[in-house]
Amino acid sequence: MKEEKKREGERKRKEWEEKLASVTEEERSKLIESRKGMRKERMEKRSEERGKKIQRLNEAKEKGQNIVIDLEFSHLMTASEIHSLVQQIMYCYAVNGKCETPGHLWLTGCKGEMESQLNRLPGFDKWIIEKQNGSYIEALQDRKDNLVYLTADSETVLDDLDLSKIYIVGGLVDRNRWKGITMKKAQEQGIQTAKLPIGNYLKMSSSQVLTVNQVIEILLKFLETRDWKASFFQVIPQRKRFEADSEPNSEAKSEEHQGEEAGGGSEEED
C-alpha cells in the first residue's frame, strides 16, 4: 500500500509538472495560486474537523458511555499478538473519534510490553481516553456494581446499553487458547457479565471470533443506531457470518456459532 501510494504521488506530481510546462507564465502563476488556495481550504477543513472531534470526545468523557478494554492478559500473548492488539486499539480510537456520539474509552492494566508498544504510537499521549496501569477494579472500585464484563460465556444477553453501566471488553488476541478466561475472571471478581445478542440475528462461522476492535465498533454503532442487527451487519465481515436469520428471535444459539465477544485472531482487521 505504501509503494502504491508512493507511485500514485509520483504520477500526480509528474502530471502537475507537465501541466505547468504546457501553459504560459501567466497561466502557470494562476494554477499555482489556485492550488495553494485549495490546499489551504483542505487544511482549514481538517483543523475544523479535528476541533469538533476533540469537543465530542471531551463531552463523551463527561456524559458518554464508558467502555473499558482490559489489558491484563498481555502476559498470555506473544509480542506479535500484543502488536496486533495495539493496532486494534488504535483502530478503536480512530473509529470512536469519527462517531457523532462517541463513547469514553478506558485502557486498564496498561503496563509492561503493552504500555511500551502503545507509547510508540504517534500522538498516543494526546489521546482523549483514560489510561490506567492498574486494573479496572482498582480504577473503578466505587462503581463496581456497575461493571459489566462482555463475554460469550455469559448467560445474560445484552438487550440495551445503559449509560450508568461500564462495559468491559477483554483485550486478548487468539482467545481460542484461553476459552472461558474472561467469564472466570468476572466470576472471581464478583462482577456482572453479559454477551452481545449476536445469536438473535446471525450465526457465526464456527472457527471465527470477533476481534476487540469489532466488539468496540459494534457497541459504538449501537450507540448511534440503537439497532443491534444493523450494528452487527455493518461491522462483522461477510466471511465471519455462517448464516443470517430473518427473524430476530429465531434459533441461533449453539455455542459453536456465537463467536466470542472479545479477543480475536491475530489479523490486523480491515
Side-chain angles (χ1 to χ4, degrees), residues 90-140:
M90 182 170 63
Y91 183 81
C92 290
Y93 185 72
V95 169
N96 192 45
K98 292 176 183 176
C99 291
E100 287 301 316
T101 53
H104 184 48
L105 301 181
W106 292 65
L107 300 179
T108 61
C110 185
K111 52 190 176 184
E113 179 63 19
M114 180 68 67
E115 184 181 23
S116 297
Q117 289 202 29
L118 283 167
N119 283 329
R120 287 199 287 270
L121 293 177
F124 178 69
D125 58 322
K126 296 183 177 65
W127 284 16
I128 303 173
I129 59 173
E130 303 296 333
K131 310 164 199 170
Q132 300 286 334
N133 296 119
S135 70
Y136 50 84
I137 290 289
E138 295 169 351
L140 299 160

Side-chain angles (χ1 to χ4, degrees), residues 210-224:
L210 296 183
T211 58
V212 170
N213 60 280
Q214 286 171 340
V215 177
I216 298 294
E217 192 172 0
I218 286 168
L219 296 177
L220 295 175
K221 288 287 184 186
F222 183 78
L223 286 174
E224 288 190 342

Side-chain angles (χ1 to χ4, degrees), residues 27 68 106 135 156 184-185 192 197 215-216 225 242-243 259 264:
E27 290 173 327
V68 174
W106 292 65
S135 70
T156 303
K184 182 181 178 183
K185 181 177 183 180
Q192 301 172 65
V215 177
I216 298 294
T225 64
F242 179 75
E243 176 183 323

Side-chain angles (χ1 to χ4, degrees), residues 30-45:
K30 288 180 179 179
L31 283 171
I32 291 172
E33 286 303 313
S34 174
R35 193 179 196 188
K36 285 181 180 178
M38 290 172 65
R39 185 173 295 170
K40 184 180 178 182
E41 285 180 13
R42 283 200 303 270
M43 290 177 68
E44 288 174 349
K45 185 177 180 181

Side-chain angles (χ1 to χ4, degrees), residues 242-253:
F242 179 75
E243 176 183 323
D245 291 320
S246 58
E247 294 297 328
N249 294 318
S250 59
E251 290 297 323
K253 309 216 176 188

